[in-house]
Amino acid sequence: MDQSSAPVRRLFFGRDDAETDFTHGLLRWGFQPTAAYDAALTGRKTLIIGRKGSGKSAICHRLMAGYEGTALLITPDDAAGDEIRRFELQGVTADTAKSLIWRYTFAIQAARHLSAHARPAHGWRIPRAVRALQSFLQANDETGEDRLYERLRRGVRRLQAASLALKAFGVVEATAEFNGGTEGARALRQLEVLESGVLAAFEALRCTPQHEPLLILVDQLEQVWNIDPDSHAMVTGLLLAAKHVTRCYGGAVRCCLFLRSDIYDSLNFSDGDKFRSDELRISWTQPALRDMALTRASLSLEQSLTHEELWGGVFPATVEGEATSDYLFHRVLARPRDAIQFLTACRDVADGQAHPTVQPEDIVTATKQFSDWKLQDLAREYLVNHPFLKSLFTLFENHGYIVMRPALDRRFQAVQGSFQRGYPAYAERLTTQGVIDILYAVSFLGVKRGSDVVFAGDTQVPVQRHEDEFHIHPCFRPALGSTTAMGLPPYSPDNDVDSPPTKSSARSDAAAGQQISRDFHLLTELTRSCGRILNMVDRSDLPEPAGKELSGQIERVLHAARHKLDLQSSGKSVDSTAHVTSAANYFRELRTRLTAGGVQDERVLRRLDEQANALMATVGGAVGSGGGSESSL
Ligand SMILES: Nc1ncnc2c1ncn2[C@@H]1O[C@H](COP(=O)(O)OP(=O)(O)OP(=O)(O)O)[C@@H](O)[C@H]1O
Ligand SMILES: [Mg+2]
């Protein structure tokens, strides 16, 4: 096939962010309608919360393009964020002050919208209330196309000095009655006049029954978010203002806020409970992500693919024995950005190898690369809230992906002091339970619950103190070198060189006979030991993948011992002493690793010890036939 027409060449899953995707048209045609989109569109929910890359901006841009009324997007940049964070008013709390500057911003946006919208949408005769708004905008220099930052600067100055020009609404600002009280009280009175003016204009035009409300969208607040109290007040102020706006304009204006879940979850304010029914958390299922991948692949290949054609034509049907789409989507956190990045990585590796379609080995290569990216991205995603996250990952490097609570406790205790000294502001949360809660909340760890392992997006129930089995998310395992359940060292038999039978004298025949019988005895004992351990693993309480891993390794020991026995019976000389000694040492090593992984089932640990000791005793005592371990089955 001509490489330029190969599917891999044309395959394109899109960009990492909605803003660029939208510019390239991908979101226009490839947008996946979701419950969150629906809720925002219909106004059922006004607070759309999602993790980084979960599709907040995608919904925002889709609303901007597809909303039947007018939609305005506010995305504060650094300068605007600084203005809001610095804004304060004497006599009111920081939350209230910030809510007033947001209310002011919304009122100005609404006034500007009304001023432009009155004639085209409602006919030539402009009502008095709208003309008043236009005069207000003119008197306050708000008619130009300034940036949000400039508008905010003016608003900040005017609210602090109570210097809004309100004559257009028939108010004489200079009166003592109007100007008395604290800075906060004066700003509030001025704002209320402006808001009543805007409401009067909406009512005069009778916008509400005639068309969709004005939709104000606020996105990308994370760009100006910091851990400081002013950032906190900036967001709580926004929530309060958004709620106020929906009420105060009689349904003619609606605000929809798009917030990162780490920001929203870190808010702590008394009115927090009043937002519960406004909240919607974006969640993605694996089938929805698969559909998104299919749509994007179909768009780029300009043909309407079926899942079978994508996962069995463009991609291979299986990777390492797993159906490809299961393999891929099991290894991403359930959000579109991660899925797009993994698929793109597979595509890029295949393209680099000049493969016309993606091959299993391309996916395996991409898996490690993607895992490395995502581990770094996770630390970056939470850099503000949990700056120590990256350092915590080292606790999991080169161990198994299952971590039992006692093991985690032990590993963390060893470094707790240095963490607390390094991050004194977070010292309170730097306990074993605190660390588990954080790692669970960011979906690095899942918790074993019943027969499932659940991750934070699947449930709202936090980790309970009695829960003690945690699994690293498959996304991060390759990057940490934690690809097996317990990180057990793989068994490799000693490198005996099996030599052919030698011709021997009468005396050496006797010695050889003794050796043969010793070899047979030792190797048979080793197979029995393996059987005893396997028996115990079957009955144990080990986590299932840990049991499988351990059994798998013991099976290898058993297989190697049987192979030696076969060689021995065909007359080859085998070094049974070295072989059995190394197997016994291997059992001890397994015990140590299982203990380090926090396995508490004493029966398995004891069985490994017993069998190692018994084998060593047999090695030391077995001369000729006879002897043997006393271990019970
Ligand atoms: N519903 C959807 N349908 C199709 N593609 C989507 C959808 N939602 C998100 N995407 C895609 O997923 C990627 C990430 O989405 P987006 O940029 O909206 O995430 P975000 O939540 O805004 O992230 P951040 O917090 O980093 O700004 C983008 O490429 C976007 O086009
Ligand atoms: Mg975004």
Side-chain angles (χ1 to χ4, degrees):
M1 187 189 294
D2 168 16
Q3 183 60 20
S4 64
S5 64
V8 155
R9 264 291 151 93
R10 292 176 291 130
L11 195 59
F12 178 57
F13 287 101
R15 306 279 176 206
D16 293 352
D17 61 291
E19 288 76 3
T20 327
D21 256 0
F22 205 80
T23 321
H24 288 98
L26 238 176
L27 262 186
R28 205 175 295 268
W29 312 114
F31 182 78
Q32 204 74 18
T34 54
Y37 170 70
D38 218 49
L41 180 68
T42 55
R44 259 186 304 113
K45 301 288 171 184
T46 53
L47 201 48
I48 309 294
I49 300 157
R51 277 187 70 170
K52 193 165 170 50
S54 60
K56 299 179 298 297
S57 302
I59 298 178
C60 230
H61 282 270
R62 185 66 197 177
L63 282 172
M64 288 291 292
Y67 183 62
E68 284 189 356
T70 303
L72 303 171
L73 176 60
I74 297 180
T75 52
D77 58 10
D78 283 348
D82 274 351
E83 281 300 330
I84 303 174
R85 276 200 306 261
R86 276 203 304 262
F87 181 68
E88 52 189 21
L89 288 171
Q90 176 242 327
V92 293
T93 64
D95 288 359
T96 306
K98 299 321 189 229
S99 84
L100 296 186
I101 188 70
W102 280 114
R103 273 169 59 179
Y104 170 80
T105 308
F106 296 150
I108 294 291
Q109 294 284 8
R112 287 169 53 82
H113 158 73
L114 280 167
S115 152
H117 149 103
R119 189 156 281 158
H122 297 274
W124 282 101
R125 222 185 63 76
I126 295 186
R128 223 181 44 211
V130 177
R131 285 204 307 276
L133 269 192
Q134 289 171 333
S135 314
F136 165 84
L137 289 171
Q138 216 133 43
N140 290 280
D141 298 326
E142 292 292 356
T143 50
E145 291 304 317
D146 293 337
R147 287 165 49 215
L148 174 66
Y149 158 69
E150 280 135 11
R151 259 184 240 302
L152 275 166
R153 269 195 63 165
R154 282 197 294 271
V156 161
R157 265 202 325 270
R158 289 183 179 139
L159 286 182
Q160 281 171 339
S163 62
L164 271 180
L166 297 171
K167 271 202 190 67
F169 303 122
V171 171
V172 183
E173 309 91 344
T175 58
E177 183 236 337
F178 195 79
N179 259 337
T182 62
E183 212 174 61
R186 287 197 302 272
L188 181 61
R189 275 199 297 274
Q190 291 224 322
L191 194 54
E192 281 172 349
V193 173
L194 168 58
E195 287 176 343
S196 329
V198 173
L199 174 63
F202 274 120
E203 286 175 346
L205 289 172
R206 303 208 307 126
C207 286
T208 301
Q210 291 185 35
H211 55 73
E212 293 292 315
L214 168 67
L215 181 58
I216 301 181
L217 308 166
V218 185
D219 187 28
Q220 291 185 16
L221 222 61
E222 67 278 359
Q223 308 280 359
V224 293
W225 160 261
N226 224 313
I227 198 73
D228 56 30
D230 282 329
S231 290
H232 187 281
M234 172 178 70
V235 181
T236 44
L238 173 63
L239 293 175
L240 296 169
K243 212 172 182 57
H244 172 85
V245 158
T246 307
R247 267 195 322 258
C248 107
Y249 298 120
V253 182
R254 210 151 46 71
C255 264
C256 193
L257 314 180
F258 294 83
L259 279 185
R260 280 250 302 260
S261 46
D262 50 319
I263 297 180
Y264 187 67
D265 293 338
S266 70
L267 297 181
N268 178 17
F269 66 116
S270 57
D271 278 345
D273 59 326
K274 291 191 188 148
F275 291 88
R276 292 288 176 226
S277 47
D278 298 330
E279 292 172 11
L280 188 137
R281 286 184 188 257
I282 301 179
S283 69
W284 283 83
T285 59
Q286 288 198 9
L289 289 175
R290 273 172 234 235
D291 288 346
M292 184 196 70
L294 185 70
T295 308
R296 286 172 180 244
S298 298
L299 280 170
S300 59
L301 297 182
E302 295 177 338
Q303 77 184 92
S304 168
L305 293 170
T306 61
H307 279 289
E308 290 68 32
E309 286 165 338
L310 180 59
W311 312 116
V314 183
F315 279 77
T318 60
V319 186
E320 297 189 330
E322 215 178 326
T324 299
S325 69
D326 289 345
Y327 177 100
L328 291 169
F329 292 105
H330 181 64
R331 285 169 172 74
V332 297
L333 299 193
R335 46 187 181 179
R337 180 172 299 149
D338 292 34
I340 291 169
Q341 287 171 338
F342 197 7
L343 292 163
T344 302
C346 295
R347 182 248 162 242
D348 289 351
V349 174
D351 192 33
Q353 296 297 316
H355 293 153
T357 56
V358 181
Q359 300 300 304
E361 63 272 23
D362 301 329
I363 299 180
V364 172
T365 307
T367 303
K368 171 72 170 67
Q369 186 187 71
F370 174 70
S371 182
D372 289 344
W373 288 344
K374 289 290 99 183
L375 196 63
Q376 288 173 20
D377 290 348
L378 188 68
R380 270 194 226 122
E381 181 178 353
Y382 290 98
L383 195 60
V384 174
N385 281 359
H386 314 308
F388 45 81
L389 200 55
K390 191 170 179 194
S391 314
L392 281 179
F393 297 154
T394 53
L395 299 180
F396 300 88
E397 270 172 14
N398 302 319
H399 288 282
Y401 64 76
I402 296 186
V403 200
M404 307 302 288
R405 188 185 283 266
L408 187 47
D409 191 35
R410 222 176 13 248
R411 287 183 217 164
F412 183 65
Q413 291 294 330
V415 294
Q416 186 177 25
S418 66
F419 267 80
Q420 290 184 334
R421 282 191 298 281
Y423 303 95
Y426 303 83
E428 240 175 62
R429 280 145 70 201
L430 289 168
T431 60
T432 304
Q433 183 64 39
V435 162
I436 289 174
D437 288 341
I438 290 168
L439 292 172
Y440 174 74
V442 305
S443 297
F444 177 82
L445 287 182
V447 61
K448 184 81 192 286
R449 221 165 253 171
S451 56
D452 293 330
V453 178
V454 295
F455 286 87
D458 310 330
T459 161
Q460 295 292 314
V461 183
V463 175
Q464 308 295 301
R465 286 187 181 259
H466 66 269
E467 292 175 317
D468 64 356
E469 182 182 330
F470 305 102
H471 291 222
I472 299 174
H473 193 286
C475 175
F476 309 112
R477 293 175 193 171
L480 293 163
S482 309
T483 44
T484 68
M486 299 305 297
L488 301 179
Y491 175 70
S492 66
D494 51 341
N495 299 323
D496 310 353
V497 179
D498 303 316
S499 35
T502 44
K503 265 206 155 285
S504 49
S505 66
R507 192 167 167 278
S508 60
D509 272 353
Q514 250 188 10
Q515 183 59 43
I516 288 168
S517 138
R518 174 184 163 80
D519 288 339
F520 179 77
H521 176 60
L522 285 182
L523 291 168
T524 307
E525 274 311 309
L526 177 54
T527 61
R528 287 193 188 136
S529 284
C530 291
R532 290 179 190 119
I533 297 169
L534 286 172
N535 214 318
M536 184 52 83
V537 176
D538 271 355
R539 287 186 279 140
S540 74
D541 298 329
L542 286 183
E544 194 191 320
K548 267 200 191 143
E549 186 182 358
L550 179 56
S551 303
Q553 295 305 334
I554 302 293
E555 299 275 7
R556 288 173 67 153
V557 181
L558 181 61
H559 181 78
R562 286 195 180 131
H563 179 63
K564 290 275 168 185
L565 277 169
D566 286 348
L567 292 173
Q568 196 238 9
S569 67
S570 65
K572 289 194 172 141
S573 103
V574 290
D575 187 352
S576 59
T577 302
H579 186 86
V580 173
T581 305
S582 102
N585 286 334
Y586 180 66
F587 291 165
R588 288 185 176 138
E589 171 73 6
L590 289 181
R591 186 209 196 285
T592 310
R593 292 292 183 103
L594 289 170
T595 312
V599 163
Q600 285 174 303
D601 190 328
E602 275 299 325
R603 293 171 307 165
V604 175
L605 302 177
R606 215 176 311 119
R607 178 63 50 100
L608 283 164
D609 258 354
E610 280 166 10
Q611 295 309 310
N613 292 342
L615 285 173
M616 290 313 290
T618 313
V619 167
V623 179
S625 60
S629 94
E630 294 302 315
S631 307
S632 57
L633 277 171

